[in-house]
């Protein structure tokens, strides 16, 4: 009985910690993005609130909460209210399967450093990340606005185009780890990270996951200067905030997934595993911000062209070659 | 109809048109100074040069001096012509002081426009500029001689067109300037036209001086409310203050000019004591509450005492729309008492004129074409100044003018004047009808014989008579005379000068055969218990104010709509603030039956000049404009009657109810206006007896209108105050000698109304045995309303102690 | 070679932006640091005085006519000696867009733009500048011009007394 309580307590503690850390990271990623983009454009970025603008996220949250919660006339009320929550929720749920450190032994029990070490973690991740697009699509549809609808349409088109490539790019990783469990995937990279073992898969996954999470240069669904923010044009206040937070949690997830699947997870010399994990995640996040500061947005037809005509054939080829090689070396 | 080609465009113009006008018909802008549609062309400014390429005239010519002829081919853009024009304007500018920033003409300065049009932008002449010493020209005109470009338009306006004599050209060669011989007020009642005539800022409006730039003014076409001629005006206001009036162009009535009363009489709109707040039983109330109370109490009165107990009295300055709604109100209550004039004789005269005028009506434009004008019992300068100007134009074209009037009449033209007593006027008119001269004295017979011969010979004769002096009987005789003098070839035209701007419209709407005097009897007896006054003041504008005051005290309900601080407004149980002409749209019918619309110029409100008391406007935010409560009378009456409150709907309603006013629905303020003639309900009372000018113990007194002080609205206008002067009487020289009085003596005038002190003026050009009193509001003479019956007076010299 | 160019074109900008990351930002930290605008910068509007110390403004309304946002209003008045001046003169800086048309239109050099750009306020009424707020004790950008010394209507000098004028004409003189 106490066993059960203990494990429950540990899970709750883990959940709380992860929840806090993820939301904190998301908040500060916003700040980091603004600072880094600012510096890349020879600006300062936010620097008025606290040293280096460190209180800025708090101010943003206060602002978002106190702003008028506006709903367009003729909007689909319930869907409109539901969409931002769905986005944030699916983003958070993805993190459930991410192992951020080797299992820890505590109170004589082995505690996996993952909320829930599913044996189909990878499939779970793929599923949940696909669900995330519903928030966007529903929000865009419910707003009853042409810009939002355009954003939603682009979003769903983009998801369909890249989902496949992403899944195909992951199969070599699964083949070499011989498991769908993400912990096993990390374990399989103890010698070499998958980045070196499957560089092509890495590239395809990198591009696909950027497209999936609507990061530049694939941010067509919200393209501010064409469709005024796309699916979230009509959102204000904390509802907009939820979309926003969801996006930055996604950035953490991307970082985590790339780390877990290709960068060797927590493996690394000298420093404790959790620190290595954090460094890798943050580095990936930085790279995405860096890309945003560097690359222009793709045209929509270019985006589809890249997805269907380049990435999917490439991923299939890569899968065949990898499978063949693995079969050959046994 | 000559057909000519100007700048490769063909145009056909009426015979006699000059080439400049033909070019203007094609919307080609040609610089010009000396040409003016009313003044004609003299070809002196050399600015309208055009090159005549083909046709009867060739070469570089002044377009205003060449009559358009068939086959002319003209170029306005020819290099030679353009160069000449640019040099001429450059010469004109050599002595101009370049003080546009401080010149009031800026914004409507023809010199500015022409300089730009002529292409002159940089001064090449470096010699010194000529300067002049300015003259003080009285309260209306500000002079700045340095700006003069010697175009002579002022002289042609003031002397030639308006007939002024105290203004001229001085100096020789390059020292020419224009002004009076000595400083002093410009005496012509049309002096204000110098402001419009001067193409630059030599003569500017002193009253309007530095008040606004013309481009900042809110302007709209309007109608002058100061006499019955219905001149077109364009008032301009800014910061909730009406600031000036300039003439509008109506070729049928005033043409291009207006008189000084119309130009400077606008200030009643800004009168500091103007009532702007509705009152209910002495307490301030909202307009809506007061209107509801008025409707309800009138209804109660009708229920309790029958429809005969309520009387409705409009006035000659009531707009046609408001008048028609008042008539509708009277109709709904069932009251038979509906009048539009409290002055009995003016009321009767107006109704008789309106009833019988018909096709004899004569516009001022037609008056200018007359070759013989008989002015009987009318002083045009006082009763309709612009008619005097029209008479002058007729005289300039060769017409003869005969004046039969007791007053020392000053027309701006030559005329034959027969100064006879007022009681002789109907006799003369009778003689014109019957051609029997037995009733005339020997001295009168010859001139009248001559007049009859002239009238028979005249091709386009016109008779002009004033309602005040002729009265209803006289006006009736005047029309009889016109009928009698008609022959197969031409009708005799008639112009009747009426009491106010809408006397004609009021007469059309009047339904009661009675006049206000008999209503006063009813009020006295208690038969009429409620009186609704629409912009009328029975306490003072009525012929017998003392009697009216006594009777009106018995009223149980007095409702007054007004925009001026008059007695009825002060004493009313229910007072409703209405708007003057400049603050609303509406329409008037002038003395020839011409229906003319006016538009709203400004919104009512206490001007910023007052609210800021001279300093900058108040530093506060407010959604309410101070003093903006007054509403158009027609709007308030529509509310009483539960009708829609917008003007088109009201006009539609009026036109539907009364087909005489069909034209109202499509009327705009910039048209000359259709004429309306129709039989009206005639008065059934006998006319008043005229004063008898016979020697005796007492002297007959004849109150008459003056130019400035006897029009109520003009009296409320501060700029006209300097013209009002002090109470004056006029005596014949001989009578003055008999009384031991001399010019400028102070005398004590005793009338049934009391005593007053007056200054004596004498003239040899007036009737003997008669005391003429120009009516003057705001003085002891204000009770002596012009027109009406015989009053006796005594006159004693005052000895200065 | 096209592929190589594409890859290079994709990656090289990353290098550039990374370089910018370590450069000093160009931003001027406004309330702490202030830039000095050029002398002809168009900011706060002032009314200047002529070299004699009198108000230059003659209330000619040209500035208010030129103003595209109608932020200038005034009332002209006249002194004893015939000088036209502004009885009150108001610029509503909540409306002003600092286009400088007023200064360009001013025929007397009275209204001028200055580089003082710090005019913000939370109360709109404080941005309603009256004549006393606008008037400065100086000539501004033109040290010499005095309108009344050039326009021949005799305010500063008696009529005909300015440098480029002849003494008043005697129209009644008989000498040819």
């Amino acid at each position: 009985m106490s066993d059960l309580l203990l494990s429950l307590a540990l899970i709750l503690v883990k959940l709380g910690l992860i929840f806090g850390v993820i939301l904190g990271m998301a908040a500060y990623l916003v700040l980091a993005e603004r600072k880094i983009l600012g510096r890349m454009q020879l600006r300062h970025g936010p620097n008025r609130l606290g040293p280096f603008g460190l209180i800025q996220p708090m101010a943003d949250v206060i602002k978002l909460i106190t702003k008028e919660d506006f709903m367009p006339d003729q909007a689909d009320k319930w869907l409109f209210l539901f969409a931002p929550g769905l986005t944030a929720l699916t983003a958070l749920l993805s993190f459930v399967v991410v192992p951020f450190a080797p299992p820890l032994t505590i109170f004589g029990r082995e505690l996996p450093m993952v909320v829930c070490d599913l044996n189909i973690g990878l499939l779970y991740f793929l599923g949940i990340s696909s669900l995330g697009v519903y928030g966007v699509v529903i929000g865009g549809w419910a707003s009853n606005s042409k810009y939002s609808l355009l954003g939603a349409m682009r979003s769903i088109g983009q998801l369909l185009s890249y989902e496949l490539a992403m899944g195909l790019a992951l199969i070599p990783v699964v083949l070499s780890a011989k498991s769908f469990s993400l912990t096993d995937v990390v374990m399989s990279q103890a010698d070499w990270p998958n980045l070196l073992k499957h560089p092509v898969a890495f590239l395809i996954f990198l591009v696909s996951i950027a497209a999936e999470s609507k990061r530049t240069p694939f941010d067509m669904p919200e393209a501010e200067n064409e469709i005024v923010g796309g699916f979230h044009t009509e959102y204000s206040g904390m509802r907009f905030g939820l979309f926003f937070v969801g996006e930055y949690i996604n950035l953490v997830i991307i970082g985590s997934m790339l780390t877990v699947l290709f960068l060797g997870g927590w493996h690394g010399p000298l420093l404790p595993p959790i620190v290595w994990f954090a460094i890798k995640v943050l580095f990936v996040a930085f790279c995405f911000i860096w890309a945003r500061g560097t690359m222009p947005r793709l045209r929509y037809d270019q985006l589809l062209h890249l997805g269907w005509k380049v990435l999917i054939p490439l991923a299939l080829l890569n899968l065949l070659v990898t499978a063949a090689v693995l079969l050959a070396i046994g | 109809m000559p057909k000519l080609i100007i700048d490769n465009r063909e145009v056909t113009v009426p015979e006699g048109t000059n080439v400049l006008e033909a070019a203007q018909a094609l919307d080609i802008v040609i610089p010009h100074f000396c040409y003016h549609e009313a003044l004609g062309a003299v070809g002196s400014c050399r600015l309208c040069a055009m090159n005549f390429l083909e046709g009867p005239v060739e070469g570089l010519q002044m377009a205003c001096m060449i009559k358009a002829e068939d086959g002319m081919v003209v170029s306005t853009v020819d290099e030679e012509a353009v160069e000449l024009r640019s040099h001429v304007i450059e010469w004109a500018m050599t002595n101009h002081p370049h003080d546009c920033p401080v010149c009031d003409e800026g914004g409507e300065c023809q010199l500015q426009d022409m300089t730009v049009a002529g292409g002159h932008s940089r001064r090449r002449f470096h010699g010194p500029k000529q300067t002049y010493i300015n003259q003080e020209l009285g309260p209306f005109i500000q002079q700045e001689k340095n700006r003069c470009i010697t175009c002579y338009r002022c002289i042609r306006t003031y002397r030639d067109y308006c007939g002024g004599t105290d203004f001229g050209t001085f100096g020789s060669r390059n020292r020419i300037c224009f002004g009076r011989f000595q400083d002093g007020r410009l005496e012509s009642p049309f002096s204000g036209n110098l402001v419009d005539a001067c193409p630059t800022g030599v003569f500017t409006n002193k009253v309007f001086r530095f008040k606004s730039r013309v481009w900042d003014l809110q302007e709209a076409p309007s109608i002058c409310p100061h006499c019955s001629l219905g001149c077109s005006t364009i008032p301009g206001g800014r910061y909730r203050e009406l600031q000036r009036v300039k003439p509008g162009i109506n070729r049928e009535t005033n043409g291009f000019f207006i008189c000084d009363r119309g130009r400077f009489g606008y200030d009643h709109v800004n009168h500091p004591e103007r009532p702007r707040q509705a009152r209910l039983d002495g307490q301030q109330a909202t307009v809506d509450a007061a209107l509801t109370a008025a409707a309800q109490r009138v209804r109660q009165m009708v229920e309790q005492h029958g429809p005969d107990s309520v009387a409705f009295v409009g006035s000659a300055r009531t707009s046609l729309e408001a008048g028609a709604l008042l008539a509708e109100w009277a109709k709904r209550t069932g009251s038979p008492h509906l009048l539009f004039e409290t002055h009995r004789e003016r009321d009767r005269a107006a109704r008789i004129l309106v009833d019988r005028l018909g096709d004899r009506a004569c516009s001022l434009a037609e008056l200018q074409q007359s070759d013989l004008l008989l002015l009987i019992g009318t002083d045009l300068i006082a009763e309709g100044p612009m008619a005097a100007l029209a008479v002058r134009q007729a005289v300039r074209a060769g017409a003869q003018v005969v004046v039969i009037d007791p007053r020392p009449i000053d027309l701006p033209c030559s005329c034959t004047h027969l100064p006879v007593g007022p009681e002789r006027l109907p006799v003369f008119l009778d003689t014109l009808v019957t051609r029997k001269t037995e009733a005339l004295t020997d001295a009168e017979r010859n001139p009248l014989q001559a007049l009859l011969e002239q009238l028979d010979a005249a091709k386009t004769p016109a008779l002009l008579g004033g309602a005040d002096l002729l009265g209803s009987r006289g006006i009736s005789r005047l029309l009889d005379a016109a009928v009698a003098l008609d022959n197969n070839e031409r009708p005799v035209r008639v112009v009747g000068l009426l009491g106010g701007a809408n006397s004609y419209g009021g007469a059309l709407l009047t339904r009661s055969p009675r006049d206000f005097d008999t209503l006063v009897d009813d009020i006295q007896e208690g038969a009429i218990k409620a009186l609704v006054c629409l912009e009328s003041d029975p306490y003072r504008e009525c012929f017998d104010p003392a009697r009216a005051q006594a009777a009106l005290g018995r009223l149980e309900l007095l409702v007054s709509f007004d925009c001026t601080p008059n007695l009825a407004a002060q004493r009313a149980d229910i007072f409703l603030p209405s708007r003057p002409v400049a603050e609303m749209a509406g329409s008037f019918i002038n003395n020839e039956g011409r229906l003319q619309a006016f538009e709203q110029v400004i919104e009512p409100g206490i001007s910023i000049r007052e609210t800021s008391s001279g300093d900058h406007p108040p530093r506060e935010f407010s959604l309410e404009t101070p003093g903006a409560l007054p509403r158009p009378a027609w709007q308030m009456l529509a509310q009483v009657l539960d009708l829609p409150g917008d003007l088109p709907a009201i006009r539609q309603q009026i036109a539907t109810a009364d087909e005489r006013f069909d034209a109202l629905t499509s009327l705009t303020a910039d048209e000359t206006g259709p004429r309306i003639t129709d039989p009206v309900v005639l008065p059934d009372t006998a006319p008043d007896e005229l004063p008898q000018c016979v020697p005796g113990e007492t002297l007959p007194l004849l109150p008459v209108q003056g130019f400035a002080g006897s029009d109520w609205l003009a009296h409320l206008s501060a700029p006209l105050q300097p013209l009002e002067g002090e109470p004056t009487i006029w005596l014949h020289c001989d009578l003055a000698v008999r009384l031991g009085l001399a010019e400028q003596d102070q005398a004590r005038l005793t009338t049934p109304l009391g005593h007053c002190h007056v200054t004596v003026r004498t003239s040899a050009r007036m009737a003997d045995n008669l005391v003429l009193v120009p009516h003057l509001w705001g003085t002891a003479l204000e009770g002596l309303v012009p027109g009406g019956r015989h009053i006796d007076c005594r006159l004693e010299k005052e000895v200065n102690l | 070679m096209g592929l190589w160019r594409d890859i290079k074109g994709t990656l090289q900008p990353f290098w550039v932006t990374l370089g910018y990351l370590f450069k000093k930002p160009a931003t001027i930290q406004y309330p702490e640091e202030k830039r000095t605008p050029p002398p002809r910068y168009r900011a706060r509007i002032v009314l200047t005085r002529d070299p004699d110390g009198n108000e230059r403004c003659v209330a000619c309304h040209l500035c208010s006519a030129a103003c595209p946002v109608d932020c200038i209003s005034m009332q002209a008045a006249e002194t004893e000696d015939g000088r036209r001046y502004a009885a009150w003169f108001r610029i509503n800086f909540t409306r002003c867009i600092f286009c400088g048309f007023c200064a360009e239109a001013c025929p007397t050099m009275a209204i001028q733009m200055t580089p003082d750009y710090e005019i913000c306020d939370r109360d709109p009424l404080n941005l309603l500048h009256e004549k006393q707020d606008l008037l400065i004790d100086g000539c501004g950008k033109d040290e010499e011009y005095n309108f009344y010394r050039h326009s021949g209507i005799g305010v500063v000098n008696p009529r005909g007394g300015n440098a480029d004028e002849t003494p008043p004409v005697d129209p009644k003189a008989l000498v040819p």
Side-chain angles (χ1 to χ4, degrees), chain A:
Chain A
M1 193 59 204
S2 67
D3 233 24
L4 191 63
L5 274 179
L6 190 63
S7 54
L8 206 65
L10 283 170
I11 286 175
L12 282 178
V13 167
K14 254 193 310 190
L15 267 179
L17 272 173
I18 288 167
F19 196 69
V21 167
I22 296 285
L23 282 185
M25 272 182 88
Y28 275 89
L29 270 178
V30 177
L31 179 65
E33 171 143 35
R34 289 173 66 185
K35 293 288 283 188
I36 290 167
L37 282 182
R39 291 302 298 267
M40 281 176 173
Q41 293 162 3
L42 295 186
R43 296 183 285 111
H44 283 285
N47 66 349
R48 290 282 135 185
L49 288 160
F52 309 107
L54 281 177
I55 315 179
Q56 184 70 36
M58 267 67 116
D60 282 344
V61 168
I62 292 169
K63 182 196 78 170
L64 287 170
I65 288 174
T66 50
K67 270 176 95 166
E68 184 197 354
D69 186 14
F70 172 82
M71 189 188 295
D73 193 25
Q74 312 268 311
D76 191 327
K77 192 176 167 211
W78 293 111
L79 289 182
F80 187 81
L81 298 179
F82 172 62
L86 185 63
T87 311
L89 185 73
T90 49
L92 275 173
L93 281 178
S94 298
F95 208 76
V96 165
V97 291
V98 174
F100 41 87
L104 194 69
T105 311
I106 189 168
F107 303 128
R109 301 158 56 96
E110 189 179 71
L111 184 69
M113 279 289 119
V114 54
V115 177
C116 179
D117 188 12
L118 291 176
N119 55 3
I120 50 155
L122 200 58
L123 291 181
Y124 170 83
F125 162 73
L126 286 174
I128 287 288
S129 68
S130 312
L131 272 182
V133 81
Y134 278 104
V136 173
V137 171
I138 291 173
W141 167 261
S143 295
N144 191 33
S145 151
K146 53 182 174 294
Y147 294 122
S148 302
L149 191 62
L150 277 174
M153 282 162 58
R154 287 181 176 199
S155 170
I156 211 156
Q158 198 165 315
L159 179 90
L160 288 175
S161 314
Y162 285 83
E163 188 77 31
L164 203 52
M166 182 160 73
L168 289 173
L170 288 183
I171 293 177
V173 176
V174 177
L175 287 178
S176 56
K178 299 189 175 67
S179 165
F180 277 113
S181 160
L182 289 177
T183 313
D184 293 347
V185 172
V186 176
M187 297 296 190
S188 75
Q189 297 177 71
D191 46 354
W192 296 102
N194 276 339
L195 169 64
L196 300 177
K197 289 194 251 176
H198 307 292
V200 178
F202 170 74
L203 274 177
I204 296 168
F205 185 73
L206 184 71
V207 171
S208 308
I209 201 159
E212 170 125 357
S213 59
K214 304 180 289 293
R215 291 290 310 179
T216 318
F218 305 106
D219 55 347
M220 246 109 354
E222 51 186 299
E224 293 89 347
N225 30 16
E226 312 160 25
I227 51 172
V228 238
F231 61 94
H232 62 65
T233 304
E234 305 295 340
Y235 280 90
S236 64
M238 207 50 221
R239 281 185 213 294
F240 167 74
L242 282 177
F243 272 128
F244 208 66
V245 165
E247 218 159 284
Y248 282 88
I249 295 174
N250 260 333
L251 193 55
V252 182
I253 306 285
I254 296 171
S256 310
M257 292 315 288
L258 273 169
T259 308
V260 166
L261 295 172
F262 289 99
L263 300 182
W266 59 77
H267 295 295
L270 297 175
L271 294 169
I274 188 106
V275 175
W276 268 112
F277 186 83
I279 288 173
K280 286 174 183 173
V281 168
L282 290 177
F283 175 74
V284 172
F286 169 76
C287 287
F288 273 96
I289 293 169
W290 188 10
R292 182 168 172 197
T294 307
M295 295 175 85
R297 184 178 303 128
L298 257 71
R299 218 167 55 214
Y300 197 64
D301 63 315
Q302 292 169 337
L303 177 102
L304 293 182
H305 177 96
L306 183 67
W308 291 104
K309 297 191 186 165
V310 179
L311 292 187
I312 291 175
L314 201 62
L316 281 170
L317 193 66
N318 181 44
L319 172 60
L320 278 176
V321 172
T322 312
V325 169
L326 283 176
L327 198 63
I329 60 177

Side-chain angles (χ1 to χ4, degrees), chain B residues 386-546:
Chain B
M386 286 309 289
L389 213 49
V391 169
R392 175 173 171 80
Q393 305 324 309
V395 171
R396 287 177 76 198
Q400 300 288 313
V401 178
V402 179
V403 180
I404 304 176
D405 197 277
R407 288 168 279 190
I409 280 175
D410 285 314
L411 282 179
C413 58
S414 59
C415 62
T416 317
H417 184 192
L418 245 82
V420 297
E423 82 282 4
R424 304 298 292 162
L425 298 175
V427 181
F428 275 85
L429 287 168
D430 277 342
T431 313
L432 289 180
V433 178
T434 60
R435 294 180 179 258
K436 288 178 188 151
T437 52
E438 290 85 37
L440 299 179
T441 62
D442 293 341
E444 292 164 352
R445 196 164 293 137
N446 283 339
L448 204 71
Q449 284 289 1
L451 175 63
L452 272 169
E453 280 162 29
Q454 277 180 309
L455 279 167
D456 287 337
K459 291 193 176 66
T460 48
L463 309 182
L464 290 85
D468 277 359
L469 213 53
L470 290 181
S472 51
R473 180 183 294 161
I475 288 289
S476 182
R477 293 285 159 76
L478 187 73
L479 290 155
D480 290 340
V483 174
L485 292 166
D486 272 351
N487 62 30
N488 295 337
E489 284 145 37
R490 72 329 176 246
V492 176
R493 304 282 194 150
V494 172
V495 175
L497 282 305
L498 302 177
N502 198 27
S503 287
Y504 196 105
L508 281 176
L509 291 167
T510 305
R511 288 216 204 88
S512 170
R514 308 175 63 182
D515 60 42
F516 190 70
D517 248 34
T518 61
L519 291 193
V520 169
D521 292 338
D522 280 7
I523 295 171
Q524 186 78 49
E525 288 159 17
I528 292 177
K529 294 180 188 301
L531 186 64
V532 179
C533 291
L534 181 56
E535 289 163 347
S536 60
D537 188 1
Y539 288 96
R540 290 205 290 201
E541 285 168 4
C542 164
F543 162 64
D544 194 347

Side-chain angles (χ1 to χ4, degrees), chain B residues 730 736 741-746 759-763:
Chain B
W730 284 85
L741 290 166
E743 174 93 7
Q744 298 297 346
D745 271 356
Q746 294 296 309
T759 307
V760 175
R761 303 291 311 276
T762 62
S763 167

Side-chain angles (χ1 to χ4, degrees), chain B residues 18 20 31 43 140 189 244 281 298 312 323 419 449 505 534 608 668 714 719 725 742-743:
Chain B
N18 65 41
L20 175 61
F140 297 149
R244 74 155 185 189
D281 297 324
V298 166
F312 296 87
Q449 284 289 1
L534 181 56
I608 284 184
T668 59
E743 174 93 7

Side-chain angles (χ1 to χ4, degrees), chain B residues 543-717:
Chain B
F543 162 64
D544 194 347
R547 187 164 146 265
Q549 290 223 14
L552 290 167
R554 295 178 54 86
L555 282 176
E556 285 175 23
L557 173 66
L558 177 62
V559 181
S560 172
F561 297 74
D562 214 326
C563 57
T564 61
N566 63 17
L567 276 176
Q570 284 160 24
R571 299 186 184 177
D573 299 308
I574 300 175
F575 173 73
L576 291 145
S578 70
R579 294 187 189 179
V581 171
E583 289 177 358
M584 63 169 182
S587 53
F588 283 154
I589 305 185
N590 79 352
N591 66 331
E592 41 147 344
R594 190 178 297 282
L595 174 62
Q596 300 184 98
F598 49 88
E599 282 173 15
Q600 177 170 1
V601 182
I602 52 171
E603 287 288 332
I606 296 171
S607 70
I608 284 184
R609 183 173 48 81
E610 278 178 76
T611 55
S612 64
S613 50
D615 201 4
H616 57 73
R619 293 173 67 87
E620 57 192 29
F621 297 116
S622 162
L623 289 177
E624 280 176 17
T625 312
L629 297 171
R631 296 188 200 165
W634 45 257
Q635 199 178 49
M636 293 191 282
L637 286 166
Q639 194 173 331
V640 168
L641 297 169
D642 267 334
L643 293 172
D646 65 313
L647 193 62
I650 288 173
R651 284 179 167 168
Q652 186 66 48
Q653 165 98 13
I654 294 167
T656 316
D658 193 339
E659 61 185 16
R660 291 178 298 181
F661 304 126
D662 264 353
L664 263 185
T665 49
S666 58
L667 197 64
T668 59
D670 43 14
E671 60 185 279
T672 54
R675 264 194 199 143
I676 296 179
T677 55
D678 199 62
V680 298
V681 179
L682 291 176
D684 60 357
T685 47
D688 295 317
E689 286 306 315
L690 292 164
Q692 303 286 321
C693 300
V694 286
E697 196 143 300
T698 57
L699 287 163
L701 178 80
L702 185 65
V704 295
Q705 281 196 53
F707 177 69
S710 35
D711 173 51
W712 172 241
L713 295 181
H715 166 66
L716 296 175
S717 179

